[in-house]
Amino acid sequence: MEANEEGRAEKFFKEFGKKMDQLMAEAKVAGNRAEADLRSKFEELKTSAEKFKNEAENKERWKEVEDSLKRAGNELENAIKAAFSKKEQK
């Protein structure tokens, strides 16, 4: 009986060891894949930051954006005033 139990325990630990080895291999592959993904995202962020920096240095472009936003704000303000002034006249 004891030999049978020892055989089952050995079999259990052998299978457990195989599964742990497999888990470790899969974890290593996943880690490498995650590292590659992170490096790729980091490169994308660096490229985006450089692009944003170049655009920010282009003051003429930002002046156009600022002027457009001011015009849009003024038009919105006029629309709100028109909406409320018509409401008050009724």
Side-chain angles (χ1 to χ4, degrees):
M1 186 87 156
E2 282 184 32
N4 191 18
E5 286 180 19
E6 284 182 27
R8 286 193 310 196
E10 287 176 6
K11 184 178 178 181
F12 169 79
F13 284 114
K14 184 178 179 181
E15 289 297 315
F16 180 75
K18 286 180 182 178
K19 289 180 181 179
M20 286 300 295
D21 289 342
Q22 183 181 3
L23 177 65
M24 294 301 291
E26 289 174 2
K28 184 176 181 179
V29 168
N32 291 340
R33 191 174 14 203
E35 181 181 358
D37 288 345
L38 286 174
R39 287 184 188 276
S40 173
K41 292 294 181 186
F42 181 71
E43 290 302 319
E44 287 177 26
L45 285 173
K46 280 180 24 180
T47 302
S48 294
E50 189 64 33
K51 182 178 176 184
F52 181 75
K53 179 183 173 190
N54 291 338
E55 287 182 8
E57 290 174 351
N58 186 351
K59 294 186 189 288
E60 183 177 313
R61 170 77 175 126
W62 285 106
K63 180 67 175 151
E64 291 175 25
V65 171
E66 182 181 358
D67 291 343
S68 295
L69 288 173
K70 284 182 182 178
R71 280 193 302 272
N74 289 337
E75 289 180 28
L76 181 61
E77 180 182 7
N78 291 338
I80 292 172
K81 285 180 182 178
F84 285 111
S85 66
K86 289 181 183 178
K87 206 175 193 182
E88 292 173 0
Q89 291 176 358
K90 288 184 177 180

